[in-house]
Amino acid sequence: DVTVGRFYPKYFQVIASDWNYPGSQSFAYMNQPFDGVEFSVEALNANKSAIKNYADFVTKAEFNLDDIDHYSDRFDAPDFGAGDWSNESDKSIGDFSVGNSGQCIDSACWNKALGDSYPDGPFNSVTGTAKSEIGLIYTNNVDPVEYITDEDFNSRLVRQPDIRFGRVDLDDVGGNQGTTLHVPLRVEYWNGSRFIANPDDNQTDVKGVTAAETHIWPTGTDADPKAVTLGAGGTVSSGSSRSVTATQAEPYRQQTRVWLDLDDSKNGLPWLKYDWDKDGSEENPSSVVTFGIHRGNDRVIYRGEPGLTGQ
């Protein structure tokens, strides 16, 4: 008997892939974990032809994902493990997938840039010019692994994800003291040159939760500012809403800056925070809320001018 060693495929190629976007979105925001990623790989011989029985091997190749070209520090994905190999129409196909852990750790996630590239994108969208090249990378394999990248074969995923840099922005608002004010809110994304309300976002649910507040006026030793609270909230439409409310503890003439809490323990939307003060770390969005002078009597006292009412 002669021992000839192990047989193993010469090449692997990606034949299918799918990005499960968060919720019912058609995109993902940076720092927002995908609900899942799936891809399928075919094993090929040295002639780039199908291998019929690789799925029957005891030990098979394992694959993970990364951005192959320029953004390897931006895309993270957990270990996809051994996958599920099967023989399909005389081809050996391996199916690999990961789910959503609820955060970027242990989920597929595209991270925001740091430094001069903040913000950037969008990636792989109709309006964006930047392209990702997410594909297979070598992991813990007992056999040599080669990927084919030419006109007919590819180690990159068939579909690249639509990824956008997002943030929540609040407008300032004012009105009569003692009333409930509605704070204009937008979920925006960076379109390559400026932030715009995301017309594709009809899913993000923003609850009115107060993170902090700072009173602007009245000030001084005799001032007695009252608490301002954000409340209500709801799902945006084409990236916009007026469902978050601002109310006073007591009717009072005052101006207060109030911050909306996007953190995990409250809204659960930390990927929509932004570096508003340019200090290198991201903060919650805020609105300056002004409650004006007491309305007084709603009756209108009309004094006619000579010649207008038959005087």
Side-chain angles (χ1 to χ4, degrees):
D1 293 337
V2 177
T3 301
V4 296
R6 281 174 49 83
F7 290 94
Y8 55 86
K10 174 68 173 177
Y11 299 113
F12 294 92
Q13 68 162 331
V14 178
I15 59 172
S17 61
D18 188 35
W19 296 90
N20 298 322
Y21 292 108
S24 57
Q25 294 174 191
S26 60
F27 60 90
Y29 289 115
M30 296 179 189
N31 286 24
Q32 182 183 24
F34 286 89
D35 278 352
V37 184
E38 304 170 3
F39 64 90
S40 299
V41 176
E42 181 182 0
L44 303 172
N45 60 27
N47 295 323
K48 301 179 181 179
S49 299
I51 297 177
K52 299 180 180 180
N53 62 343
Y54 184 61
D56 299 326
F57 284 28
V58 175
T59 302
K60 294 174 283 293
E62 298 181 10
F63 302 95
N64 283 333
L65 297 180
D66 202 352
D67 190 276
I68 298 171
D69 289 339
H70 304 297
Y71 302 103
S72 62
D73 60 334
R74 302 287 299 280
F75 180 73
D76 290 327
D79 193 329
F80 281 76
D84 182 17
W85 287 87
S86 60
N87 294 318
E88 301 177 15
S89 302
D90 292 331
K91 298 179 179 180
S92 292
I93 306 297
D95 298 316
F96 297 81
S97 64
V98 293
N100 182 355
S101 70
Q103 54 187 345
C104 272
I105 299 174
D106 295 328
S107 301
C109 195
W110 186 279
N111 299 299
K112 293 180 180 179
L114 301 175
D116 294 338
S117 297
Y118 179 100
D120 68 349
F123 288 89
N124 313 309
S125 68
V126 175
T127 58
T129 57
K131 303 293 181 183
S132 65
E133 294 289 348
I134 298 171
L136 305 182
I137 59 171
Y138 185 88
T139 56
N140 184 27
N141 296 320
V142 296
D143 302 319
V145 172
E146 293 185 37
Y147 308 117
I148 305 174
T149 303
D150 58 30
E151 186 174 322
D152 299 315
F153 302 91
N154 207 335
S155 63
R156 290 163 175 76
L157 297 192
V158 176
R159 296 177 56 205
Q160 296 291 316
D162 184 336
I163 304 168
R164 310 180 188 189
F165 185 108
R167 73 179 188 184
V168 165
D169 190 9
L170 304 179
D171 286 344
D172 298 337
V173 65
N176 296 312
Q177 66 188 67
T179 59
T180 297
L181 304 181
H182 291 267
V183 182
L185 176 151
R186 293 177 306 282
V187 181
E188 303 176 326
Y189 82 95
W190 181 257
N191 71 353
S193 58
R194 62 188 179 92
F195 281 102
I196 63 171
N198 188 351
D200 301 315
D201 194 337
N202 298 295
Q203 299 84 25
T204 299
D205 186 2
V206 184
K207 302 176 182 65
V209 183
T210 308
E213 60 179 330
T214 299
H215 296 291
I216 301 172
W217 58 260
T219 59
T221 56
D222 295 332
D224 184 22
K226 308 301 181 182
V228 174
T229 303
L230 297 177
T235 304
V236 298
S237 176
S238 298
S240 299
S241 80
R242 296 178 64 89
S243 59
V244 170
T245 60
T247 57
Q248 296 176 284
E250 300 177 25
Y252 199 75
R253 187 169 178 263
Q254 69 182 95
Q255 187 176 72
T256 301
R257 180 178 293 275
V258 60
W259 280 264
L260 177 69
D261 199 333
L262 298 178
D263 287 322
D264 281 328
S265 60
K266 301 300 181 180
N267 258 297
L269 301 169
W271 50 85
L272 294 178
K273 297 171 73 174
Y274 182 67
D275 186 7
W276 294 100
D277 59 8
K278 311 300 182 186
D279 68 347
S281 62
E282 294 191 321
E283 298 86 32
N284 286 307
S286 66
S287 172
V288 174
V289 182
T290 306
F291 293 93
I293 301 173
H294 179 67
R295 294 178 61 177
N297 198 312
D298 283 336
R299 289 184 303 166
V300 176
I301 306 301
Y302 177 78
R303 185 182 68 181
E305 295 184 20
L308 292 180
T309 58
Q311 294 172 321

PDB file of all heavy atoms in Angstrom, residues 45-65:
ATOM      1  N   ASN A  45     -11.662  21.924  -8.347  1.00  0.00           N
ATOM      2  CA  ASN A  45     -10.357  21.281  -8.507  1.00  0.00           C
ATOM      3  C   ASN A  45      -9.402  22.203  -9.258  1.00  0.00           C
ATOM      4  O   ASN A  45      -9.733  23.364  -9.562  1.00  0.00           O
ATOM      5  CB  ASN A  45     -10.506  19.923  -9.190  1.00  0.00           C
ATOM      6  CG  ASN A  45     -11.129  20.039 -10.576  1.00  0.00           C
ATOM      7  OD1 ASN A  45     -11.009  21.077 -11.255  1.00  0.00           O
ATOM      8  ND2 ASN A  45     -11.788  18.971 -11.021  1.00  0.00           N
ATOM      9  N   ALA A  46      -8.230  21.691  -9.595  1.00  0.00           N
ATOM     10  CA  ALA A  46      -7.212  22.504 -10.256  1.00  0.00           C
ATOM     11  C   ALA A  46      -7.643  22.981 -11.630  1.00  0.00           C
ATOM     12  O   ALA A  46      -7.126  23.976 -12.147  1.00  0.00           O
ATOM     13  CB  ALA A  46      -5.907  21.717 -10.356  1.00  0.00           C
ATOM     14  N   ASN A  47      -8.598  22.284 -12.242  1.00  0.00           N
ATOM     15  CA  ASN A  47      -9.123  22.694 -13.549  1.00  0.00           C
ATOM     16  C   ASN A  47     -10.318  23.634 -13.419  1.00  0.00           C
ATOM     17  O   ASN A  47     -10.991  23.925 -14.414  1.00  0.00           O
ATOM     18  CB  ASN A  47      -9.542  21.462 -14.357  1.00  0.00           C
ATOM     19  CG  ASN A  47      -8.365  20.581 -14.705  1.00  0.00           C
ATOM     20  OD1 ASN A  47      -7.278  21.065 -14.996  1.00  0.00           O
ATOM     21  ND2 ASN A  47      -8.579  19.260 -14.646  1.00  0.00           N
ATOM     22  N   LYS A  48     -10.582  24.079 -12.189  1.00  0.00           N
ATOM     23  CA  LYS A  48     -11.708  24.964 -11.900  1.00  0.00           C
ATOM     24  C   LYS A  48     -13.050  24.291 -12.210  1.00  0.00           C
ATOM     25  O   LYS A  48     -14.025  24.944 -12.569  1.00  0.00           O
ATOM     26  CB  LYS A  48     -11.592  26.291 -12.642  1.00  0.00           C
ATOM     27  CG  LYS A  48     -10.328  27.076 -12.306  1.00  0.00           C
ATOM     28  CD  LYS A  48     -10.252  28.388 -13.082  1.00  0.00           C
ATOM     29  CE  LYS A  48      -8.971  29.128 -12.746  1.00  0.00           C
ATOM     30  NZ  LYS A  48      -8.834  30.407 -13.512  1.00  0.00           N
ATOM     31  N   SER A  49     -13.073  22.967 -12.027  1.00  0.00           N
ATOM     32  CA  SER A  49     -14.296  22.198 -12.223  1.00  0.00           C
ATOM     33  C   SER A  49     -14.839  21.758 -10.878  1.00  0.00           C
ATOM     34  O   SER A  49     -14.111  21.704  -9.871  1.00  0.00           O
ATOM     35  CB  SER A  49     -14.016  20.973 -13.104  1.00  0.00           C
ATOM     36  OG  SER A  49     -13.552  21.374 -14.383  1.00  0.00           O
ATOM     37  N   ALA A  50     -16.110  21.399 -10.847  1.00  0.00           N
ATOM     38  CA  ALA A  50     -16.772  21.023  -9.605  1.00  0.00           C
ATOM     39  C   ALA A  50     -16.184  19.758  -9.004  1.00  0.00           C
ATOM     40  O   ALA A  50     -15.779  18.828  -9.721  1.00  0.00           O
ATOM     41  CB  ALA A  50     -18.264  20.842  -9.854  1.00  0.00           C
ATOM     42  N   ILE A  51     -16.115  19.712  -7.691  1.00  0.00           N
ATOM     43  CA  ILE A  51     -15.726  18.523  -6.944  1.00  0.00           C
ATOM     44  C   ILE A  51     -16.997  17.901  -6.375  1.00  0.00           C
ATOM     45  O   ILE A  51     -17.774  18.570  -5.692  1.00  0.00           O
ATOM     46  CB  ILE A  51     -14.747  18.870  -5.814  1.00  0.00           C
ATOM     47  CG1 ILE A  51     -13.455  19.443  -6.405  1.00  0.00           C
ATOM     48  CG2 ILE A  51     -14.460  17.643  -4.960  1.00  0.00           C
ATOM     49  CD1 ILE A  51     -12.466  19.891  -5.347  1.00  0.00           C
ATOM     50  N   LYS A  52     -17.213  16.629  -6.652  1.00  0.00           N
ATOM     51  CA  LYS A  52     -18.476  15.999  -6.314  1.00  0.00           C
ATOM     52  C   LYS A  52     -18.585  15.587  -4.853  1.00  0.00           C
ATOM     53  O   LYS A  52     -19.678  15.593  -4.286  1.00  0.00           O
ATOM     54  CB  LYS A  52     -18.702  14.777  -7.207  1.00  0.00           C
ATOM     55  CG  LYS A  52     -18.773  15.094  -8.697  1.00  0.00           C
ATOM     56  CD  LYS A  52     -18.994  13.832  -9.508  1.00  0.00           C
ATOM     57  CE  LYS A  52     -19.057  14.128 -11.003  1.00  0.00           C
ATOM     58  NZ  LYS A  52     -19.282  12.897 -11.810  1.00  0.00           N
ATOM     59  N   ASN A  53     -17.475  15.189  -4.222  1.00  0.00           N
ATOM     60  CA  ASN A  53     -17.584  14.526  -2.923  1.00  0.00           C
ATOM     61  C   ASN A  53     -16.918  15.278  -1.775  1.00  0.00           C
ATOM     62  O   ASN A  53     -16.680  14.704  -0.710  1.00  0.00           O
ATOM     63  CB  ASN A  53     -16.987  13.124  -3.014  1.00  0.00           C
ATOM     64  CG  ASN A  53     -15.496  13.152  -3.357  1.00  0.00           C
ATOM     65  OD1 ASN A  53     -14.995  14.163  -3.832  1.00  0.00           O
ATOM     66  ND2 ASN A  53     -14.810  12.045  -3.118  1.00  0.00           N
ATOM     67  N   TYR A  54     -16.584  16.543  -1.966  1.00  0.00           N
ATOM     68  CA  TYR A  54     -15.890  17.264  -0.879  1.00  0.00           C
ATOM     69  C   TYR A  54     -16.769  17.373   0.363  1.00  0.00           C
ATOM     70  O   TYR A  54     -16.267  17.394   1.487  1.00  0.00           O
ATOM     71  CB  TYR A  54     -15.478  18.654  -1.357  1.00  0.00           C
ATOM     72  CG  TYR A  54     -14.674  19.433  -0.338  1.00  0.00           C
ATOM     73  CD1 TYR A  54     -13.448  18.953   0.128  1.00  0.00           C
ATOM     74  CD2 TYR A  54     -15.138  20.643   0.177  1.00  0.00           C
ATOM     75  CE1 TYR A  54     -12.709  19.656   1.073  1.00  0.00           C
ATOM     76  CE2 TYR A  54     -14.411  21.363   1.116  1.00  0.00           C
ATOM     77  CZ  TYR A  54     -13.187  20.855   1.555  1.00  0.00           C
ATOM     78  OH  TYR A  54     -12.452  21.553   2.486  1.00  0.00           O
ATOM     79  N   ALA A  55     -18.058  17.406   0.170  1.00  0.00           N
ATOM     80  CA  ALA A  55     -18.959  17.496   1.317  1.00  0.00           C
ATOM     81  C   ALA A  55     -18.870  16.267   2.214  1.00  0.00           C
ATOM     82  O   ALA A  55     -19.272  16.326   3.386  1.00  0.00           O
ATOM     83  CB  ALA A  55     -20.399  17.687   0.837  1.00  0.00           C
ATOM     84  N   ASP A  56     -18.338  15.153   1.690  1.00  0.00           N
ATOM     85  CA  ASP A  56     -18.219  13.923   2.472  1.00  0.00           C
ATOM     86  C   ASP A  56     -16.929  13.854   3.274  1.00  0.00           C
ATOM     87  O   ASP A  56     -16.742  12.939   4.073  1.00  0.00           O
ATOM     88  CB  ASP A  56     -18.306  12.705   1.550  1.00  0.00           C
ATOM     89  CG  ASP A  56     -19.640  12.633   0.806  1.00  0.00           C
ATOM     90  OD1 ASP A  56     -20.656  13.036   1.404  1.00  0.00           O
ATOM     91  OD2 ASP A  56     -19.645  12.182  -0.363  1.00  0.00           O
ATOM     92  N   PHE A  57     -16.016  14.820   3.067  1.00  0.00           N
ATOM     93  CA  PHE A  57     -14.764  14.832   3.822  1.00  0.00           C
ATOM     94  C   PHE A  57     -15.075  15.075   5.297  1.00  0.00           C
ATOM     95  O   PHE A  57     -15.998  15.812   5.646  1.00  0.00           O
ATOM     96  CB  PHE A  57     -13.832  15.928   3.318  1.00  0.00           C
ATOM     97  CG  PHE A  57     -13.143  15.612   2.012  1.00  0.00           C
ATOM     98  CD1 PHE A  57     -13.716  14.768   1.066  1.00  0.00           C
ATOM     99  CD2 PHE A  57     -11.917  16.170   1.710  1.00  0.00           C
ATOM    100  CE1 PHE A  57     -13.094  14.480  -0.130  1.00  0.00           C
ATOM    101  CE2 PHE A  57     -11.270  15.893   0.511  1.00  0.00           C
ATOM    102  CZ  PHE A  57     -11.866  15.045  -0.412  1.00  0.00           C
ATOM    103  N   VAL A  58     -14.269  14.477   6.166  1.00  0.00           N
ATOM    104  CA  VAL A  58     -14.447  14.680   7.609  1.00  0.00           C
ATOM    105  C   VAL A  58     -14.082  16.104   8.004  1.00  0.00           C
ATOM    106  O   VAL A  58     -14.795  16.771   8.755  1.00  0.00           O
ATOM    107  CB  VAL A  58     -13.602  13.666   8.398  1.00  0.00           C
ATOM    108  CG1 VAL A  58     -13.699  13.967   9.898  1.00  0.00           C
ATOM    109  CG2 VAL A  58     -14.048  12.249   8.108  1.00  0.00           C
ATOM    110  N   THR A  59     -12.950  16.582   7.490  1.00  0.00           N
ATOM    111  CA  THR A  59     -12.490  17.941   7.797  1.00  0.00           C
ATOM    112  C   THR A  59     -12.580  18.792   6.536  1.00  0.00           C
ATOM    113  O   THR A  59     -12.054  18.414   5.485  1.00  0.00           O
ATOM    114  CB  THR A  59     -11.040  17.934   8.311  1.00  0.00           C
ATOM    115  OG1 THR A  59     -10.963  17.096   9.470  1.00  0.00           O
ATOM    116  CG2 THR A  59     -10.587  19.337   8.674  1.00  0.00           C
ATOM    117  N   LYS A  60     -13.229  19.930   6.642  1.00  0.00           N
ATOM    118  CA  LYS A  60     -13.420  20.798   5.476  1.00  0.00           C
ATOM    119  C   LYS A  60     -12.978  22.219   5.807  1.00  0.00           C
ATOM    120  O   LYS A  60     -12.793  22.578   6.970  1.00  0.00           O
ATOM    121  CB  LYS A  60     -14.880  20.768   5.041  1.00  0.00           C
ATOM    122  CG  LYS A  60     -15.330  19.400   4.515  1.00  0.00           C
ATOM    123  CD  LYS A  60     -16.806  19.361   4.226  1.00  0.00           C
ATOM    124  CE  LYS A  60     -17.610  19.222   5.495  1.00  0.00           C
ATOM    125  NZ  LYS A  60     -17.424  17.926   6.171  1.00  0.00           N
ATOM    126  N   ALA A  61     -12.837  23.019   4.763  1.00  0.00           N
ATOM    127  CA  ALA A  61     -12.359  24.394   4.920  1.00  0.00           C
ATOM    128  C   ALA A  61     -13.372  25.247   5.673  1.00  0.00           C
ATOM    129  O   ALA A  61     -14.588  25.038   5.571  1.00  0.00           O
ATOM    130  CB  ALA A  61     -12.084  25.010   3.550  1.00  0.00           C
ATOM    131  N   GLU A  62     -12.861  26.183   6.454  1.00  0.00           N
ATOM    132  CA  GLU A  62     -13.685  27.154   7.154  1.00  0.00           C
ATOM    133  C   GLU A  62     -13.380  28.544   6.609  1.00  0.00           C
ATOM    134  O   GLU A  62     -12.249  28.821   6.206  1.00  0.00           O
ATOM    135  CB  GLU A  62     -13.425  27.099   8.658  1.00  0.00           C
ATOM    136  CG  GLU A  62     -13.771  25.751   9.280  1.00  0.00           C
ATOM    137  CD  GLU A  62     -13.525  25.715  10.784  1.00  0.00           C
ATOM    138  OE1 GLU A  62     -13.265  26.811  11.349  1.00  0.00           O
ATOM    139  OE2 GLU A  62     -13.591  24.633  11.369  1.00  0.00           O
ATOM    140  N   PHE A  63     -14.384  29.414   6.624  1.00  0.00           N
ATOM    141  CA  PHE A  63     -14.231  30.742   6.034  1.00  0.00           C
ATOM    142  C   PHE A  63     -14.785  31.820   6.948  1.00  0.00           C
ATOM    143  O   PHE A  63     -15.750  31.605   7.676  1.00  0.00           O
ATOM    144  CB  PHE A  63     -14.958  30.823   4.681  1.00  0.00           C
ATOM    145  CG  PHE A  63     -14.482  29.819   3.685  1.00  0.00           C
ATOM    146  CD1 PHE A  63     -15.144  28.607   3.544  1.00  0.00           C
ATOM    147  CD2 PHE A  63     -13.379  30.066   2.894  1.00  0.00           C
ATOM    148  CE1 PHE A  63     -14.709  27.662   2.629  1.00  0.00           C
ATOM    149  CE2 PHE A  63     -12.931  29.124   1.988  1.00  0.00           C
ATOM    150  CZ  PHE A  63     -13.599  27.913   1.850  1.00  0.00           C
ATOM    151  N   ASN A  64     -14.152  32.970   6.901  1.00  0.00           N
ATOM    152  CA  ASN A  64     -14.678  34.176   7.515  1.00  0.00           C
ATOM    153  C   ASN A  64     -14.683  35.280   6.479  1.00  0.00           C
ATOM    154  O   ASN A  64     -14.214  35.084   5.347  1.00  0.00           O
ATOM    155  CB  ASN A  64     -13.860  34.578   8.739  1.00  0.00           C
ATOM    156  CG  ASN A  64     -14.185  33.707   9.947  1.00  0.00           C
ATOM    157  OD1 ASN A  64     -15.284  33.172  10.056  1.00  0.00           O
ATOM    158  ND2 ASN A  64     -13.224  33.569  10.839  1.00  0.00           N
ATOM    159  N   LEU A  65     -15.193  36.462   6.870  1.00  0.00           N
ATOM    160  CA  LEU A  65     -15.299  37.579   5.942  1.00  0.00           C
ATOM    161  C   LEU A  65     -14.502  38.777   6.433  1.00  0.00           C
ATOM    162  O   LEU A  65     -14.360  39.009   7.631  1.00  0.00           O
ATOM    163  CB  LEU A  65     -16.766  38.006   5.776  1.00  0.00           C
ATOM    164  CG  LEU A  65     -17.737  36.996   5.174  1.00  0.00           C
ATOM    165  CD1 LEU A  65     -19.132  37.615   5.105  1.00  0.00           C
ATOM    166  CD2 LEU A  65     -17.279  36.550   3.789  1.00  0.00           C
TER     167      LEU A  65
END
